[in-house]
Amino acid sequence: MSSRLSITEEDFYCPICCDIFRDPVLLACSHSICNGCVKTFWNRRGTQECPICRTVSSNPDPPINIVLRNMCDLIREETTQELPVETAGFCSLHGEPLTFFCAEDQELVCGQCRNALHKNHRIRSTTDASQDLRYELQQKLKAFLEKLRVYERFEQSWDETAECIKRQSQHTETQIKEVFEKLHQFLENEEAASLTALRREEEQKSEIIKKKVEEIASGMLSLSHIIESIEEQLRRNEFTFLMNYKTTIERTKCTLRDQTRPSGMLIDVAKHVGNITYEVSKKLQANIRYTPVTFDPNTAHPYLAVSDDLTTLTYTDEHFQQLPANPERFDGYTSILGSEGFDSGSHCWDIEVGDSTAWAVGVITESAYKLRQNPSKTGLWYVGFCNGKYGKGYSPEILTLLRVSQKIQRIRVQLNWDKGKVIFTDSGHNIGLHVFKHKFTEKVFPYFYNHCMQHPLRIIAVKTTVEAHI
């Protein structure tokens, strides 16, 4: 039998319980699994898929693989016959029933073995030992099943993340193509306009030259006639020459304009080509929007929706899309970070809060952000509005009232990392609100909170210019 098993041994073992098949069923994908094993697997997974290849089976009661079952039964019988006597229930040394279990050696023993070979060991009856050890093994099985469920949840989470990455990539690719298509169209329009101006100048100056050439041709014809007349008179005899001299002199008195070469008749190459990149860049700059800060959608609370250009933040009271539970995401406060952190220099951005009834803007340190589920006492500096009152604070728990004379529609946040200042200004009325002072030692991120569905928060674009450095 062993020679037969050595060839196809793996074909007779269930891939789940790793034992010889018991009542193997044949799945639609042609894989065989123990009937009990596959039913347990299906119940745990909640879907009728093959444990090996994940092919879903439409039949909840797959047929028994009769040939494989018969062969496995035969192998099991032969294996049982070859087992040592003690595994069949009797001691191989004394021939007595194995009615005891040695806890220290973890083996079955008979009465004589108990008194001779296992003296002073912890000996128990097979019934008691079996019950206790079964319970112990069941607890281990329970722990492993729970661990398996954790792994399955992680597997599902990674699958969801992979799908989200695919959606993000496709959407981002579409946005990139749209932006560059607009840039291409702008450059094509500028190229066409430049070429049109060049052609227009060429046509204008070519028309002037054409008229000049026609004028010269006409003058040359008049001169040719005069020359012919004079030459003819010079060939005549004295009487005829003198007779016609007066008429000939009169013909020579025709006035012809002196020809000159006016300046500026060549194509003004410098006008068309000189600094063309700079000039086009200035026009391009006038048609684009620049925001000093943009939202980072990967940090957005699931109830926050970010616009495609990453400048508008809208609150919704339900999950608006399938989002993975990535560790960067806020899941407490409906908050979001700016896409870039700062660890030096001065930075400024304006936010339009409009008529929002629950908002906050400010900055947060990287360490405070990482501890956002258990926030520290410092690390978040902000000004906000909630329950009809304005407030300022430097942590979620520490908030004081902020006296405001006029309703804030736009607020400016100025961060001077080097000098350790966070300045808040009502930019709509140009009124200073508050200044926080703190010696920064780590990266700081723009922070935003919105809990009002009717009114989104918007980062305001600023004007930019193309500078020529000398």
Side-chain angles (χ1 to χ4, degrees):
M1 180 207 68
S2 59
S3 62
R4 185 175 65 206
L5 277 177
S6 63
I7 299 175
T8 60
E9 182 176 358
E10 61 181 12
D11 296 331
F12 299 100
Y13 283 80
C14 173
I16 294 183
C17 64
C18 300
D19 199 356
I20 297 175
F21 283 112
R22 292 183 181 275
D23 297 328
V25 295
L26 183 63
L27 301 180
C29 57
S30 299
H31 288 120
S32 292
I33 311 289
C34 290
N35 188 32
C37 292
V38 75
K39 295 295 178 61
T40 301
F41 181 82
W42 285 357
N43 290 335
R44 188 171 65 246
R45 296 283 292 187
T47 179
Q48 296 176 180
E49 61 181 22
C50 173
I52 300 174
C53 66
R54 303 304 189 192
T55 300
V56 177
S57 175
S58 59
N59 186 0
D61 295 305
I64 299 293
N65 191 334
I66 299 175
V67 175
L68 181 59
R69 183 190 64 181
N70 294 339
M71 295 180 69
C72 289
D73 289 345
L74 178 61
I75 292 171
R76 193 177 293 105
E77 290 176 5
E78 294 180 1
T79 303
T80 303
Q81 292 174 4
E82 293 180 4
L83 288 175
V85 176
E86 57 189 11
T87 59
F90 294 90
C91 179
S92 59
L93 294 177
H94 307 104
E96 294 186 3
L98 299 169
T99 56
F100 299 98
F101 183 79
C102 177
E104 294 183 17
D105 295 332
Q106 294 189 349
E107 62 182 15
L108 291 164
V109 297
C110 67
Q112 293 190 41
C113 290
R114 172 187 179 184
N115 298 326
L117 301 177
H118 298 271
K119 192 174 183 180
N120 298 325
H121 288 185
R122 290 185 294 115
I123 305 297
R124 306 183 66 191
S125 67
T126 54
T127 302
D128 292 342
S130 176
Q131 289 178 349
D132 291 344
L133 293 178
R134 282 179 185 274
Y135 176 78
E136 181 182 334
L137 198 57
Q138 286 173 351
Q139 295 305 307
K140 290 182 179 294
L141 175 62
K142 184 179 179 181
F144 281 117
L145 289 173
E146 180 59 33
K147 191 72 173 179
L148 178 61
R149 283 191 286 271
V150 171
Y151 271 72
E152 289 173 347
R153 288 195 292 270
F154 268 102
E155 180 186 30
Q156 182 180 359
S157 175
W158 282 118
D159 289 341
E160 292 173 353
T161 302
E163 286 298 320
C164 183
I165 290 173
K166 187 175 180 180
R167 291 195 304 270
Q168 280 185 313
S169 177
Q170 292 173 344
H171 184 62
T172 305
E173 179 181 347
T174 300
Q175 288 180 279
I176 292 173
K177 288 182 177 180
E178 289 176 352
V179 170
F180 276 94
E181 179 62 31
K182 291 179 181 178
L183 290 174
H184 293 159
Q185 188 61 52
F186 172 82
L187 292 175
E188 287 176 4
N189 293 341
E190 286 298 309
E191 178 186 12
S194 297
L195 293 175
T196 299
L198 174 61
R199 298 289 180 261
R200 187 182 299 113
E201 183 180 357
E202 179 189 8
E203 291 173 359
Q204 290 173 350
K205 292 186 174 179
S206 295
E207 184 65 25
I208 293 173
I209 292 175
K210 180 181 177 182
K211 290 180 179 179
K212 288 291 184 182
V213 170
E214 291 176 351
E215 181 181 329
I216 291 172
S218 177
M220 290 173 63
L221 182 60
S222 296
L223 287 172
S224 297
H225 290 161
I226 294 172
I227 292 170
E228 289 177 0
S229 177
I230 293 174
E231 288 177 343
E232 182 181 355
Q233 291 302 320
L234 290 173
R235 288 194 296 269
R236 293 179 182 274
N237 56 36
E238 293 179 357
F239 178 81
T240 306
F241 171 77
L242 294 173
M243 191 81 173
N244 295 323
Y245 177 75
K246 184 177 180 181
T247 304
T248 303
I249 289 299
E250 289 296 327
R251 295 190 65 181
T252 61
K253 291 181 179 179
C254 68
T255 56
L256 294 175
R257 186 185 306 173
D258 292 335
Q259 296 298 317
T260 60
R261 294 184 61 87
S263 61
M265 289 307 299
L266 297 180
I267 294 294
D268 192 350
V269 177
K271 182 182 73 174
H272 296 289
V273 180
N275 289 322
I276 186 171
T277 304
Y278 174 76
E279 296 298 332
V280 171
S281 298
K282 283 201 304 182
K283 292 181 181 180
L284 177 62
Q285 198 74 22
N287 293 311
I288 62 175
R289 299 174 62 222
Y290 170 74
T291 49
V293 168
T294 56
F295 296 119
D296 180 0
N298 292 338
T299 66
H301 187 280
Y303 288 173
L304 294 178
V306 182
S307 62
D308 286 345
D309 62 359
L310 308 182
T311 62
T312 303
L313 185 67
T314 305
Y315 172 80
T316 173
D317 60 356
E318 59 184 13
H319 290 267
F320 72 98
Q321 60 179 349
Q322 292 293 329
L323 295 172
N326 53 303
E328 302 91 348
R329 193 174 303 282
F330 281 94
D331 58 5
Y333 295 102
T334 50
S335 304
I336 188 174
L337 293 187
S339 59
E340 181 183 1
F342 309 110
D343 54 11
S344 64
S346 296
H347 311 274
C348 176
W349 55 96
D350 283 31
I351 305 97
E352 181 183 304
V353 297
D355 295 323
S356 174
T357 57
W359 57 266
V361 297
V363 297
I364 186 171
T365 60
E366 188 170 24
S367 59
Y369 162 63
K370 290 180 178 179
L371 295 173
R372 59 193 178 279
Q373 309 305 336
N374 185 22
S376 59
K377 294 299 180 182
T378 58
L380 172 63
W381 298 268
Y382 65 96
V383 165
F385 181 74
C386 189
N387 297 325
K389 297 179 180 179
Y390 292 96
K392 61 182 185 295
Y394 55 90
S395 81
E397 290 80 12
I398 301 175
L399 177 68
T400 57
L401 289 177
L402 179 67
R403 297 187 180 278
V404 175
S405 58
Q406 300 183 66
K407 183 178 181 179
I408 298 175
Q409 296 278 321
R410 295 171 55 173
I411 185 168
R412 177 173 299 157
V413 182
Q414 292 174 275
L415 168 67
N416 191 320
W417 194 95
D418 300 318
K419 293 185 178 180
K421 290 183 180 181
V422 185
I423 305 170
F424 293 90
T425 306
D426 178 354
S427 57
H429 302 100
N430 197 26
I431 299 174
L433 298 174
H434 190 72
V435 178
F436 288 103
K437 296 182 178 180
H438 178 81
K439 185 177 181 180
F440 297 112
T441 58
E442 58 179 310
K443 186 173 287 188
V444 176
F445 289 86
Y447 172 84
F448 309 87
Y449 166 84
N450 185 23
H451 204 79
C452 177
M453 284 190 293
Q454 291 78 15
H455 304 283
L457 302 187
R458 292 185 179 88
I459 300 174
I460 300 173
V462 297
K463 268 192 171 184
T464 59
T465 57
V466 178
E467 297 181 356
H469 297 281
I470 302 175

